[in-house]
Amino acid sequence: MRLLVLLAVLTLGWTGTAQARYYDDVIASGVIYIGAYKNFPPYSFEVDGKPQGVDIEIGHRIAEAFGLKMKVHWITPDENLEDDLRNNVWKGHYLDKDEANPLAAKHLADVMMRVPYDREYAFKRDDQGLLINEQVVLFGPYQRERWQVAFDSEKLERVGTVAVFQYHPIGVEIDSLPDFYLTSAFGGQMRKNTHHFFSNSEAFAAMQAGKVDAVMGMRAEVDWQIGQAGDPRYKLAENGFPSMGKQQWDIGMAVSQRYRQLGNEVDVVVERLIRNGEIEKIYSSYNLRYELPGLYQDVAQ
Amino acid sequence: MKKFSGSFAVTALVAAMSVSGVSQANVTDKDILQDQKTVEDVVSNGLGPRGQRYSPLDKINTDTVKDMRPVWSFSFGGEKQRGQESQPMVKDGVMYVTASYSRVFAVDTKTGEELWEYNARLPDGIMPCCDVINRGVALYDDLVIFGTLDAKLVALDAKTGKVKWKKTVADYKEGYSITAAPMIVNGKVITGVSGGEFGIVGKAEAYDAKTGKILWTRPTVEGHMGYIWKDGKKVENGISGGKAGQTWPGDLWKSGGAATWLGGTYDPDTNSLFIGTGNPAPWNSHMRPGDNLFSSSRLAIDPDTGKIKWHFQTTPHDGWDYDGVNELIAFDYQEGGKTVKAAATADRNGFMYVLNRTNGDFIRGFPFVDEISWAKGLDKKGRPIYNEEMRPGNPSASEDGKKGSSVHAVPAFLGGKNWMPMAYSQDTELFYVPSNEWGMDIWNEPTAYKKGAAYLGAGFTIKPLTEDHIGVLRAMDPKTGKEVWRYQNFSPLWGGVLTTAGNLVFIGTPEGYLKGFDAKTGEVKYQFNTGSGIVGSPITWEQDGEQFISVVSGWGGAVPLWGGEVAKRIKHLNQGGSVWTFKLPKS
């Protein structure tokens, strides 16, 4: 594989395309490609063509630690994480074809951000007993994420339990876990009040327009929307999510299985950033609460 | 390979205009309506608007077919292989054929030489579901019209391949694309849309074939407003199904799915478009109690106004991803001295339906696969009698974070029959149905993530039901529901069928063979290996007194995208991308 990539580089000249690479090759090139989801505030997004967001900031810190320049490999999300890892970390997307340079390597991220860190997921097997995610290494947890409801305090006094959504409309991102939860839990009693939007920001905008009384999404997304709105009318709820499967999960990174060494080196950098409080600072600069991933909560710091 | 430049690539040989000394005439509505009878061309998808895929040609027949041999093979070239599901068209000595990644080629039918090609330039970040296939062009006037993966209709000059007009049918950023061949009805291009589980809404649309101006749009989910354009003005044209919220809970109708991803057929007799619709969204049925109209249905639409005349829902409240897109083919039969105006379709769900095509009434239905587990049968109106134990689980049952209980549903979601079109012979009065015998284990998968968030995935694996075959080509009698003969194939069938007055039935297999069968007995009369799997639909036509047969070869499509035990049967199959053309030797 490496030989093939080399050969392509030699015969065609360096075209600046980014296949995922060995640690030494990354260092030698002076550039690291950080994979981040497109248009996904507050994690990764663009303002006037400039990449922003917590994942981008962490990517910058990783690049700096190695004395490299960071370039963003923008990821258009597919239907699930397996697809995103295949398209962006180890294989490349089948539509990524270069007509003028058909032997060019596919565009991949050296390191992909915002990949859940979950042993059960990493070691999941298919019905043939084979590892599903054997092509990637999932490593470097840097944040714990969970679900959060925000509400319009002029419509609802408080949200003590989700039972209020039997009576009040709530907005969710379509085809998300909050969508499944609100349309199927408790015999579907909240179903008729569940309104669907293409993104969390659209759901929040609908709350601001008075169309729904609350929104449910990931904590950082909701914190970000509340910060952006800058209006005390929109508040964070304190309810739990009874009988909801996964209430919290950890976020880390992924590299291709072939480039494990790169992962190890990045892991060391991110651990330092967590322990010296750098990551928490990044989160607070975006008005987001920060929770340490389980690995750091369980082990004494 | 030629140098590409600009936003698209066109290579035109002006010689295209005088290929083989045949002068080129423009394609008219009459040509399309009479396509089945006019054997010297193929100007509609399905060899006639009804899509019977029957040709009255008989020079190649059960006696002579053994001598049939290839005369040329044309390669699509490049790196862009993957599934080739196209049906070629032929007009005045030129073949128009599409290839994967939204490409169109014009080829000399006598020599196999390329006249021009068009490569749609696809935007970055496009995420088409289910491979980068295209199923063919429509021809009208001097135009070659096709749909692209980024959901545009493009009309090319038939002589040069240059763009004459281009229209955006839907926004690819919202998850829409087009892979079906458009159809032409009385000067209108009719198209549907494809889309994944991103919350799209299916629709059928009509455009003026010559100019690309939109004429009407008809959403296929209850509650959405249809529109018609009168003197350039967009006018409300009635809400599909009358009003929202009758068969959907909450606001789920707004993103109800029912994609019209396979286009349709046209019945000139009743002036109806027959368009099928995909499964409802979201995928899990427990989130949307109700029939969820008009998902998993066949719709009869008036091509002049875009109004729905009737509908027939094959899988109400679908929970298995049984799309209702499969083609509905108009045919007549005699019963008790009377002509019955019928139409038949073989559904993903394993049942074949014969309907009264004037009003959508159910005449009869019967299984066309050996095993069906999700339903016990059909009632008098053709509605399934569910086997509720076989409905995939409620998401709220996996709330403890454990893997939900698994259900073994038959057929698998890829269907007793998928997109690959069947054929109807006017001689034997049988339907030749390309089917597959497979089931799926399906469960709710809580160890899943999407875009950095915890998610509840649908875990599934497709399983063959027997050791020695998945694919079965069946001859089915629509009057009795009886199977007359069958041919079993090791790997799943994924290509279309052609039948001829030569008492022959043709189909390609993933193993690469173009096979010819005796239409009455199923005896294999011919086979030739094209070098890659066939997932396209064969055609036949006559030129200079000789009968030709063409088929596109190039393995791909949805089957290789899904793993499990089926993957083991097909992993050795190689990709490709070429057109093969056959004829009898000159005596």
Side-chain angles (χ1 to χ4, degrees), chain B residues 449-524:
Chain B
Y449 293 93
K450 179 181 175 177
K451 224 170 61 170
Y455 184 65
L456 186 70
F460 59 83
T461 178
I462 298 186
K463 294 183 163 169
L465 302 176
T466 67
E467 289 294 314
D468 63 347
H469 72 278
I470 296 175
V472 185
L473 176 65
R474 289 175 157 91
M476 299 293 297
D477 185 335
K479 296 191 282 292
T480 62
K482 294 265 161 43
E483 179 185 302
V484 177
W485 59 259
R486 68 160 67 186
Y487 160 77
Q488 297 181 346
N489 199 64
F490 181 66
S491 59
L493 293 175
W494 208 255
V497 183
L498 169 71
T499 182
T500 71
N503 190 35
L504 285 168
V505 176
F506 289 97
I507 189 171
T509 69
E511 289 85 350
Y513 289 102
L514 175 67
K515 284 183 182 268
F517 301 87
D518 183 310
K520 292 196 188 90
T521 66
E523 190 190 337
V524 178

Side-chain angles (χ1 to χ4, degrees), chain B residues 273-287:
Chain B
L273 303 167
F274 296 143
I275 293 180
T277 60
N279 66 305
W283 192 92
N284 194 295
S285 62
H286 297 274
M287 295 164 66

Side-chain angles (χ1 to χ4, degrees), chain B residues 255-449:
Chain B
S255 50
T260 47
W261 59 263
L262 196 49
T265 56
Y266 172 65
D267 174 34
D269 190 27
T270 60
N271 191 33
S272 298
L273 303 167
F274 296 143
I275 293 180
T277 60
N279 66 305
W283 192 92
N284 194 295
S285 62
H286 297 274
M287 295 164 66
R288 43 169 173 75
D291 279 358
N292 313 136
L293 289 172
F294 297 99
S295 66
S296 300
S297 301
R298 305 301 184 287
L299 302 177
I301 296 176
D302 183 330
D304 302 322
T305 63
K307 295 230 172 176
I308 298 174
K309 295 177 169 184
W310 53 258
H311 75 274
F312 181 86
Q313 192 173 34
T314 45
T315 313
H317 195 219
D318 165 63
W320 303 266
D321 198 5
Y322 293 148
D323 282 337
V325 295
N326 291 354
E327 72 287 358
L328 180 64
I329 298 176
F331 72 111
D332 292 339
Y333 67 91
Q334 302 299 318
E335 197 170 61
K338 274 198 229 151
T339 300
V340 180
K341 288 182 185 230
T345 188
D347 200 86
R348 285 262 276 260
N349 71 17
F351 291 101
M352 188 163 174
Y353 300 81
V354 178
L355 307 177
N356 177 336
R357 72 175 186 268
T358 64
N359 56 17
D361 283 354
F362 176 72
I363 297 174
R364 71 182 69 85
F366 40 87
F368 65 93
V369 290
D370 291 339
E371 191 182 330
I372 292 178
S373 77
W374 70 280
K376 295 167 188 154
L378 302 175
D379 72 11
K380 271 190 276 178
K381 295 203 151 171
R383 199 180 162 89
I385 303 157
Y386 300 108
N387 187 358
E388 279 300 339
E389 290 142 48
M390 290 297 156
R391 185 178 284 278
N394 192 327
S396 62
S398 339
E399 276 160 2
D400 54 1
K402 299 268 174 352
K403 180 174 156 173
S405 59
S406 184
V407 161
H408 181 67
V410 186
F413 69 91
L414 288 176
K417 173 181 168 298
N418 202 285
W419 81 278
M420 57 284 192
M422 58 187 185
Y424 174 73
S425 168
Q426 298 179 357
D427 304 320
T428 63
E429 298 183 347
L430 299 174
F431 278 91
Y432 299 98
V433 185
S435 63
N436 290 308
E437 303 285 349
W438 47 21
M440 64 178 167
D441 286 347
I442 182 162
W443 64 91
N444 285 314
E445 178 55 74
T447 308
Y449 293 93

Side-chain angles (χ1 to χ4, degrees), chain B residues 129 184 189 233 249 262 386 392 446 555 566:
Chain B
C129 137
I184 304 284
V189 197
K233 276 206 192 82
L262 196 49
Y386 300 108
W555 173 237
V566 170

Side-chain angles (χ1 to χ4, degrees), chain A residues 174-189:
Chain A
I174 197 161
D175 198 30
S176 66
L177 202 54
D179 175 7
F180 297 161
Y181 180 66
L182 290 166
T183 52
S184 64
F186 307 111
Q189 288 189 62

Side-chain angles (χ1 to χ4, degrees), chain B residues 515-555:
Chain B
K515 284 183 182 268
F517 301 87
D518 183 310
K520 292 196 188 90
T521 66
E523 190 190 337
V524 178
K525 289 286 185 183
Y526 181 80
Q527 68 173 22
F528 176 86
N529 198 305
T530 58
S532 178
I534 298 175
V535 291
S537 305
I539 59 163
T540 187
W541 79 96
E542 191 172 69
Q543 188 168 343
D544 303 332
E546 291 184 286
Q547 185 183 353
F548 289 76
I549 288 178
S550 279
V551 72
V552 173
S553 166
W555 173 237

Side-chain angles (χ1 to χ4, degrees), chain B residues 151-226:
Chain B
K152 291 184 169 67
L153 272 182
V154 180
L156 305 171
D157 185 312
K159 291 191 181 71
T160 64
K162 292 221 161 72
V163 175
K164 293 284 273 271
W165 56 258
K166 193 191 263 189
K167 291 287 159 182
T168 298
V169 175
D171 186 355
Y172 73 86
K173 288 179 186 155
E174 291 179 2
Y176 291 94
S177 72
I178 301 179
T179 52
M183 96 182 114
I184 304 284
V185 173
N186 302 328
K188 300 180 180 75
V189 197
I190 313 289
T191 184
V193 289
S194 320
E197 304 283 320
F198 296 103
I200 63 125
V201 171
K203 60 181 178 178
E205 288 193 334
Y207 294 81
D208 183 311
K210 288 190 183 172
T211 64
K213 270 195 196 135
I214 190 161
L215 300 172
W216 53 256
T217 179
R218 170 55 52 194
T220 52
V221 176
E222 173 190 284
H224 291 265
M225 179 62 80

